[in-house]
Amino acid sequence: MRHSTLRQLEVFETIARLGSFTRAAEELFLTQPTVSMQIKKLTDAVGLTLFEQVGKKMYLTDAGRELHQTCRDIFERLAQFEMVASDMKGLKAGKLRLAVVTTAKYFAPRLLGMFCQQYPGVEVSLKVSNRERVLERLADNQDDLYILGQPPEEVDAVAQAFLENPLVVLAPVNHPLANKKRIPLKRIAEEPFLSREPGSGTRIATERIFSEQGLKLKIRMELGSNEAIKQAIIGGLGISVLSRHTLALDAPMGQLAVLDVQGFPIDRQWYYAYPSGKQLSIVAQAFLSYLQQAPQFLVEVSCNTRPSDTELPGFVEAPTSERMEP
């Protein structure tokens, strides 16, 4: 192993992460024969087989898994040293790896953009996925920080709220309930409901508030993205509950109504999280400080999601001409 090079370890780590020699070659801008040669040299140095192929799929052997973890540790320590060295020079440089649940994609890029303006030497990797996958990444410590809609109780982690995340009931603008006030939950439970997939934080919070009243939603369809749900609402397939943040940027103009429902909006928070005991990099610490200082961006987002604000593009507030009592 002493004669193995960092380049060989980098090639191996990339193959192990992507599960493909071809994709690793593309990511590293190398030819596939070069990648194969580097792995052959590394395998000879280790003296054990690192990969095995079953059918068309490639798997790590026991030795490969141990080496993969070692590679991750080595590259993590090197990255930390580069950040420390930059910090000693009076610079903030390095890489920030952030994983967020899908709804957070509506504000995370703007949030990161403002952070990178302050620290232009920082390179950002942003992964967007559903809650289940983000929790898997958190448990496996694949990233620096994670943003979720509720604390990760399934994983031993540090979590802190940093931004409001109100959930609202959405319907087509021409829906009969769009003209009502103080709509009872029981009435909403009678409507066909469009839901996110099981395990979604939005779905968990929504089902909880209905179950507390002894009510059950009439789920007509499960959809894996907020955009699909908004289009289904516009198409008249049902109503739904989504984060108000999903309306701030790109919903079709004037085609969605926020219903005035008793118990809504559901007051929730956005949380950042990281594994308990994790030593945060200098860049990750800088990003947390940035969040905790409540930059103007967060103030604006919080203000723009208040129920009284009718200026947001992509939706209209339900008219107030009629009143519905329980």
Side-chain angles (χ1 to χ4, degrees):
M1 283 295 295
R2 291 193 177 190
H3 299 291
S4 301
T5 65
L6 281 176
R7 187 57 163 170
Q8 290 169 0
L9 295 178
E10 180 185 25
V11 170
F12 169 78
E13 191 281 330
T14 306
I15 296 172
R17 173 164 45 84
L18 299 177
S20 166
F21 276 64
T22 302
R23 292 171 60 192
E26 292 173 352
E27 179 171 308
L28 296 172
F29 301 102
L30 297 173
T31 64
Q32 191 162 338
T34 300
V35 167
S36 299
M37 180 59 67
Q38 294 288 346
I39 292 302
K40 183 180 185 306
K41 290 180 178 179
L42 181 61
T43 302
D44 291 342
V46 173
L48 294 168
T49 302
L50 301 175
F51 296 102
E52 60 182 356
Q53 189 163 345
V54 179
K56 294 184 178 181
K57 292 187 177 181
M58 186 177 60
Y59 299 90
L60 288 169
T61 63
D62 290 342
R65 282 190 289 271
E66 290 293 330
L67 182 58
H68 186 214
Q69 184 58 54
T70 300
C71 287
R72 290 175 58 180
D73 294 341
I74 290 172
F75 293 131
E76 180 71 24
R77 294 296 299 272
L78 287 174
Q80 289 178 4
F81 172 75
E82 290 176 353
M83 295 179 197
V84 170
S86 296
D87 199 48
M88 289 178 176
K89 297 174 186 176
L91 304 171
K92 280 288 187 296
K95 187 169 186 177
L96 175 67
R97 297 168 299 177
L98 188 66
V100 306
V101 293
T102 51
T103 306
K105 72 180 182 181
Y106 293 95
F107 65 86
R110 289 183 291 158
L111 188 64
L112 288 168
M114 296 181 65
F115 175 72
C116 290
Q117 288 178 14
Q118 292 187 24
Y119 303 107
V122 173
E123 178 186 351
V124 176
S125 170
L126 177 63
K127 302 290 185 182
V128 180
S129 191
N130 60 31
R131 177 178 172 83
E132 182 179 2
R133 179 58 184 142
V134 170
L135 287 174
E136 289 176 0
R137 297 183 68 89
L138 173 59
D140 200 29
N141 191 27
Q142 294 186 35
D143 311 277
D144 295 308
L145 295 167
Y146 305 82
I147 293 180
L148 307 102
Q150 61 182 10
E153 299 176 356
E154 303 89 335
V155 181
D156 185 14
V158 176
Q160 178 65 48
F162 71 94
L163 177 64
E164 293 180 358
N165 178 28
L167 301 183
V168 296
V169 183
L170 298 178
V173 69
N174 59 353
H175 194 282
L177 294 179
N179 294 320
K180 307 298 182 180
K181 292 291 291 181
R182 294 183 54 77
I183 306 167
L185 279 181
K186 183 178 180 180
R187 177 65 182 85
I188 296 298
E190 297 171 358
E191 292 288 315
F193 195 83
L194 307 171
S195 178
R196 286 295 304 267
E197 72 283 357
S200 159
T202 299
R203 177 167 177 166
I204 292 171
T206 302
E207 290 181 337
R208 181 183 297 125
I209 192 172
F210 280 87
S211 64
E212 288 173 353
Q213 300 298 318
L215 301 171
K216 187 175 181 180
L217 291 167
K218 293 171 58 178
I219 296 179
R220 183 177 195 175
M221 188 180 300
E222 292 181 356
L223 297 164
S225 76
N226 298 320
E227 294 310 304
I229 286 180
K230 286 190 289 185
Q231 292 301 321
I233 294 172
I234 294 168
L237 292 175
I239 65 175
S240 189
V241 172
L242 292 177
S243 167
R244 199 176 185 93
H245 287 297
T246 66
L247 303 173
L249 294 177
D250 60 348
M253 290 293 292
Q255 299 186 72
L256 296 171
V258 178
L259 301 186
D260 182 3
V261 179
Q262 294 179 13
F264 282 83
I266 301 176
D267 294 326
R268 299 180 73 221
Q269 301 285 327
W270 286 110
Y271 294 83
Y272 68 74
Y274 56 90
S276 297
K278 180 181 179 70
Q279 184 176 356
L280 295 178
S281 69
I282 291 173
V283 170
Q285 292 175 34
F287 186 69
L288 288 191
S289 296
Y290 165 75
L291 292 182
Q292 293 162 354
Q293 289 169 5
Q296 185 61 31
F297 169 83
L298 297 184
V299 175
E300 291 173 354
V301 169
S302 296
C303 290
N304 284 344
T305 56
R306 291 177 301 185
S308 60
D309 190 343
T310 60
E311 299 282 330
L312 285 175
F315 74 97
V316 296
E317 292 289 346
T320 60
S321 58
E322 299 184 27
R323 183 180 185 86
M324 176 179 284
E325 298 293 349

